[in-house]
Amino acid sequence: MQSLSLPIPIYNSNLAPRKADKHSLFRNTRDQTHRFPTLLLAAKHDRDLKEEEDKRVAAVPLPEGLLREAMPRHVAVIMDGNARWARQRGFIALSAGHEAGARSLRELVDLCCDWGVRVLTVFAFSYDNWIRPKVEVDFLMSLFERMLKSELDNFIRQGARVSTIGDSSRLPESLKKLISDVEEKTKDNSRLHLIVAVGYSGKYDVTQACKSIAQKVKDGTVQLEDIDESLLEQELETNCAEYPCPDLLIRTSGELRISNFLLWQLAYTELFFAEALWPDFGKAEFVEALTSYQQRQRRYGGRRS
């Protein structure tokens, strides 16, 4: 197993969630006074739900050596190696590897729910993957659809919210309808936010954010001097999450690259490269990645303390 771990265990301080700023939807409080009672009640409801979830998570013991207070809030995963897994085992159809990979994802979702990870973003299908053979692409689309259908009740029971990011224009209509339905039915869940990147491109994500800001400047709703990192981040697709930037990125199958995934969001993310192929990535491998993460000191440009 390869990783970028440091040898000395050091407490990991996670970033706080982003706060409202001058670009916030509610920056003009004079226009929102009539909404304050509703907003306050909603905030109290959210706090109560979070307290219940924190108690439920705290009741689940962590594997030995892991610290709950040092758990990454957002974990991103490049699920690589399904086809190689199938070939190594003599399967004629590569679909066997994708089926096995789906089982690994189910287990990872369960572990994140139990151990207190708040956001899990998985790279399920790259925009660049559309060039793959049609039979493989069609199978992946049908597998995604079957998994969403079969896991919906589990997502609701677990308190998991599901969102998708990426260009959905080329997805089958039945899949687009199902995604919309699953997102609607799970939108109020807050124990875990599962973000599935389908037809996603990190370069396009940044490009569309720049275009959106440029249009707002053209329309006069944003001034040139208002453009900063915070404004751009609000236009990225991961802005749907409470913690939009991953603390930890895991890539399986021994490949040492990020493959056009979350290019802006990974600026200060800790990277962990696992030798295991994705279908073989389970609890033990996840514990190793989390242990490596908790041994690092995140400095964000500063010096080691």
Side-chain angles (χ1 to χ4, degrees), residues 6-300:
L6 296 177
I8 304 175
I10 303 173
Y11 173 72
N12 167 44
S13 57
N14 289 298
L15 286 179
R18 67 185 190 280
K19 299 178 180 179
D21 57 21
K22 63 183 178 181
H23 306 297
S24 173
L25 176 63
F26 299 122
R27 61 184 179 273
N28 186 350
T29 56
R30 289 177 298 176
D31 297 337
Q32 301 296 330
T33 52
H34 67 286
R35 298 187 60 181
F36 281 0
T38 302
L39 291 173
L40 290 172
L41 286 174
K44 182 180 184 303
H45 177 67
D46 290 344
R47 286 196 302 271
D48 291 343
L49 283 178
K50 187 176 185 304
E51 289 178 2
E52 292 179 9
E53 290 159 5
D54 289 344
K55 290 178 182 178
R56 182 165 52 178
V57 169
V60 179
L62 288 176
E64 184 178 357
L66 289 182
L67 301 174
R68 194 174 300 279
E69 64 271 20
M71 195 65 65
R73 290 185 171 95
H74 184 167
V75 174
V77 182
I78 299 176
M79 305 179 294
D80 193 22
N82 292 340
R84 272 173 282 172
W85 184 91
R87 291 191 191 99
Q88 287 179 5
R89 284 155 180 77
F91 289 103
I92 298 175
L94 301 183
S95 58
H98 296 305
E99 294 273 11
R103 291 192 291 271
S104 292
L105 178 55
R106 291 188 189 98
E107 181 180 8
L108 186 61
V109 169
D110 290 341
L111 294 174
C112 287
C113 284
D114 288 343
W115 295 352
V117 174
R118 303 306 299 272
V119 183
L120 173 65
T121 300
V122 295
F123 204 5
F125 189 81
S126 166
Y127 183 83
D128 302 317
N129 291 153
W130 286 113
I131 65 174
R132 290 185 178 184
K134 185 177 185 300
V135 64
E136 182 180 1
V137 171
D138 289 346
F139 175 80
L140 288 171
M141 295 298 110
S142 66
L143 176 62
F144 186 27
E145 191 165 341
R146 283 189 284 116
M147 186 172 182
L148 283 178
K149 287 179 180 177
S150 64
E151 295 298 313
L152 177 56
D153 288 341
N154 287 335
F155 292 145
I156 294 173
R157 175 180 53 81
Q158 292 172 317
R161 174 188 172 192
V162 180
S163 298
T164 60
I165 59 175
D167 180 7
S168 63
S169 63
R170 299 175 67 177
L171 299 180
E173 289 300 321
S174 59
L175 179 54
K176 287 192 280 190
K177 185 178 183 301
L178 177 61
I179 287 173
S180 178
D181 184 52
V182 171
E183 289 181 338
E184 177 63 25
K185 289 181 177 178
T186 63
K187 67 180 182 180
D188 295 324
N189 295 341
S190 56
R191 188 180 183 190
L192 172 70
H193 193 171
L194 172 62
I195 302 176
V196 184
V198 182
Y200 178 83
S201 160
K203 289 181 178 180
Y204 177 78
D205 197 2
V206 176
T207 300
Q208 64 83 24
C210 293
K211 285 183 177 179
S212 178
I213 294 173
Q215 185 63 52
K216 290 177 180 178
V217 171
K218 182 178 179 181
D219 295 340
T221 57
V222 169
Q223 300 302 311
L224 186 62
E225 57 270 20
D226 291 334
I227 300 176
D228 57 14
E229 292 182 9
S230 175
L231 181 60
L232 194 144
E233 286 178 355
Q234 290 182 40
E235 298 292 341
L236 296 174
E237 293 194 87
T238 51
N239 192 46
C240 62
E242 181 181 10
Y243 304 97
C245 296
D247 300 301
L248 171 65
L249 170 73
I250 299 169
R251 179 167 188 150
T252 59
S253 82
E255 301 293 347
L256 307 179
R257 56 182 180 270
I258 57 177
S259 298
N260 197 14
F261 186 43
L262 302 177
L263 298 180
W264 176 284
Q265 297 91 330
L266 294 177
Y268 280 103
T269 298
E270 297 295 323
L271 309 179
F272 184 89
F273 298 102
E275 290 291 341
L277 302 175
W278 173 243
D280 293 328
F281 189 92
K283 180 178 179 179
E285 289 75 19
F286 192 36
V287 168
E288 183 173 1
L290 293 174
T291 300
S292 173
Y293 171 79
Q294 293 191 357
Q295 291 175 343
R296 307 180 192 186
Q297 183 184 47
R298 305 183 71 190
R299 301 191 294 277
Y300 304 100

